[in-house]
Amino acid sequence: MDKLVVEGGRRLEGEVDIAGSKNAVLPVLAAALLTRETLRVENAPRLADVESMLGVLRDLGCAVQGGEDEAIEVKAPEHPSQRTDWELVSRMRASFCVLGPLVARTGRAEVSLPGGCALGGFRPIDIHRKGLEALGASVRTEGGYVIAEAPPGGLRGAEMYLGTAFGSSVTGTANVMMAATLAEGRTVIQGAACEPEVVDLGRCLQAMGARIEGLGSPRVEIEGVSELGAVEWSVIPDRIEAGTYVIAGAMTGGRVRVRGCRPEHLVTVLERLREAQIPFEVGPDWIETQARDPRAAGEQPRPTDVTTHPFPGFPTDLQAQWMALMTMAEGRSVITERVYPERYMHMAELARLGADVRREGALALVSGTPRLSGAHVTASDLRASAALVLAGLVAEGETHVHRVYHIDRGYECIEERLRALGAGIRRERVERERVE
Ligand code: EPU
């Protein structure tokens, strides 16, 4: 296993280009199963999760070409396999997005219950199930697999509510929306996720011939069609990667221009940064943090509370990184996680770096400290690893971030990009990982 070694104390400076969105491209790739024609995807990020999804699609019989610096082409066969391999799906939760397209196109799908980041608790799939059942599928769990079967005449459009106690479900909406494109008649999804990644998937489906209205709102209507066709799609930029680099600029006090992003996808984050009195400028497709000394009196971030919510609220996928920023604030801030109430595994590791953090029920209290100091820390999930790298950039001495495979799931070439901005960061092989 690899670790990242970060030498703290260098101010980042320069420009960084944002890759395509991980959470947009994964369901878009799964949409290839809805057609026998070719789905061509431009701007796909080079990430372990994308490779995992392509592995699942290959295993189902799809022909996959391209990748690396080229567009990815996926062509599903006339009769895709209906069962996914446990080992492949257990690597990544988003591979569960093949369930809806497979059952819609072939009438049956057996998909292993997903793996992926645990985020501090159990991640249910009841919403995916509820939506497919509303479309007439029978869904059961057997031997660790979710087995969905369409009724004899195929899926039928229906009206349904897909909200959860924690807001809407992103991949739940994606799965059911994909299935409904080929269902007979009209589907109305109430409580649909409004995330830009769901909108991007919906637009890709529209380009394939799907009839969808209301994208980006909690009410999405889909009129089923008998088949979908070929598409060339360029996925949206990754708003979480963009937000992470903006926070990196804010923490190190450097002028960092984050290029090729969509600032409108980060409205709440930018509002919070303003409140924290972090100087930055915004252009049509860039955000640039301005130079300052974030440890100097009067230039430290102002303590700024955040509560995570579904889009357009503050994203849960930037909560850990925000916490890293708040460890430098000139006072105490409160972070409330409403999407995944237990997504706080990074706190213990930030504490190892000297952060003053504690839990009070559903809240995390963060008191800024004058300095962090490098230590060995362990990444528990993708965004937690990003937060630890950010903290390492401002900690004194070296921070060793272990189990860095998590970060490779969602950040393309993170150490190269940070190095290009002037960070001291290298990857090292760990022969014997600690056992807990
Ligand atoms: N939920 C249910 N039942 C369900 C599905 C979800 O109760 O059937 C609950 C979850 O437990 C959670 C809330 O609903 O409390 C939202 O979960 P959601 O289904 O939206 O999460 P997801 O679709 O599994 C996606 C992203 C996550 C991101 C969340 C929230 C992908 C591949 N993953 O997950 O991204 O945190 O939405 O925005 O799109 C990441 O990129 O690091 C990541 C974890």
Side-chain angles (χ1 to χ4, degrees):
M1 271 192 246
D2 292 349
K3 68 175 176 180
L4 286 177
V5 183
V6 189
E7 290 163 36
R10 301 196 196 175
R11 177 180 285 197
L12 301 190
E13 202 80 54
E15 299 181 334
V16 58
D17 289 312
I18 293 309
S21 159
K22 165 180 89 75
N23 291 345
V25 77
L26 296 173
V28 160
L29 289 171
L33 291 165
L34 289 165
T35 172
R36 57 174 74 81
E37 296 188 43
T38 302
L39 172 113
R40 183 182 160 88
V41 183
E42 310 263 359
N43 199 32
R46 287 170 295 164
L47 296 174
D49 272 10
V50 172
E51 280 312 312
S52 299
M53 179 58 93
L54 294 176
V56 170
L57 293 171
R58 273 192 202 98
D59 187 53
L60 291 170
C62 297
V64 176
Q65 285 182 341
E68 284 299 308
D69 289 331
E70 296 167 28
I72 299 174
E73 288 191 358
V74 185
K75 191 171 190 305
E78 192 64 39
H79 299 289
S81 160
Q82 293 171 317
R83 186 176 166 90
T84 60
D85 179 68
W86 170 82
E87 211 274 305
L88 291 172
V89 175
S90 62
R91 283 188 207 158
M92 178 190 67
R93 193 175 162 86
S95 42
F96 200 62
C97 283
V98 301
L99 184 75
L102 257 193
V103 70
R105 168 108 185 277
T106 75
R108 183 183 170 92
E110 296 184 31
V111 182
S112 167
L113 270 164
C117 292
L119 310 185
F122 172 59
R123 291 173 70 183
I125 50 111
D126 55 303
I127 289 298
H128 303 243
R129 190 177 172 138
K130 181 178 172 187
L132 294 178
E133 281 174 347
L135 296 175
S138 73
V139 187
R140 63 184 195 279
T141 304
E142 221 175 85
Y145 278 74
V146 176
I147 303 174
E149 283 175 299
L155 300 178
R156 290 180 309 271
E159 182 148 354
M160 63 188 81
Y161 172 68
L162 294 188
T164 81
F166 308 100
S168 47
S169 166
V170 173
T171 51
T173 304
N175 231 336
V176 177
M177 183 164 76
M178 285 192 276
T181 59
L182 292 181
E184 169 97 40
R186 193 169 191 77
T187 295
V188 179
I189 304 177
Q190 301 270 23
C194 303
E195 269 66 10
E197 294 77 17
V198 174
V199 175
D200 198 50
L201 169 68
R203 295 209 174 121
C204 172
L205 294 168
Q206 285 172 332
M208 293 168 79
R211 294 175 58 194
I212 307 177
E213 283 167 27
L215 289 170
S217 83
R219 181 189 166 97
V220 172
E221 295 189 32
I222 304 139
E223 189 68 47
V225 295
S226 55
E227 53 178 44
L228 296 178
V231 65
E232 290 188 11
W233 195 248
S234 180
V235 291
I236 52 170
D238 198 305
R239 63 190 166 111
I240 304 302
E241 188 193 27
T244 303
Y245 283 105
V246 170
I247 294 175
M251 287 179 73
T252 63
R255 182 186 288 269
V256 173
R257 182 174 285 222
V258 177
R259 295 193 304 200
C261 63
R262 301 247 180 111
E264 69 272 23
H265 290 168
L266 285 164
V267 268
T268 322
V269 179
L270 297 183
E271 190 197 89
R272 296 285 104 160
L273 283 168
R274 267 183 214 107
E275 204 177 309
Q277 291 185 1
I278 305 288
F280 67 91
E281 285 176 15
V282 183
D285 63 351
W286 53 266
I287 302 167
E288 186 182 271
T289 56
Q290 304 299 303
R292 67 185 217 292
D293 179 358
R295 290 292 189 197
E299 292 193 58
Q300 289 166 276
R302 291 273 310 267
T304 304
D305 300 348
V306 298
T307 301
T308 66
H309 285 295
F311 190 81
F314 192 95
T316 171
D317 291 341
L318 283 172
Q319 180 257 106
Q321 299 89 317
W322 189 263
M323 190 178 290
L325 172 66
M326 285 298 111
T327 65
M328 303 177 76
E330 52 164 354
R332 194 174 83 171
S333 54
V334 181
I335 294 180
T336 312
E337 177 54 69
R338 287 231 194 276
V339 179
Y340 291 109
E342 296 301 321
R343 192 178 196 176
Y344 286 126
M345 291 89 72
H346 41 282
M347 287 179 75
E349 302 304 304
L350 287 172
R352 292 174 72 81
L353 299 174
D356 183 350
V357 285
R358 72 193 160 88
R359 273 292 290 279
E360 241 172 55
L363 312 179
L365 308 181
V366 187
S367 298
T369 42
R371 57 188 280 273
L372 296 178
S373 64
H376 285 262
V377 289
T378 307
S380 56
D381 67 73
L382 168 56
R383 308 305 171 186
S385 351
L388 295 174
V389 169
L390 293 180
L393 291 174
V394 296
E396 289 169 11
E398 282 191 347
T399 297
H400 298 245
V401 183
H402 291 262
R403 305 235 172 122
V404 75
Y405 59 86
H406 288 295
I407 216 163
D408 297 330
R409 294 189 38 222
Y411 291 89
E412 190 179 284
C413 312
I414 188 163
E415 73 265 33
E416 283 157 41
R417 285 178 190 196
L418 285 172
R419 247 195 325 263
L421 292 172
I425 181 168
R426 61 183 191 273
R427 188 176 285 253
E428 283 183 7
R429 187 120 201 101
V430 182
E431 292 310 333
R432 286 186 51 192
E433 199 54 84
R434 288 163 303 143
V435 179
E436 275 147 24

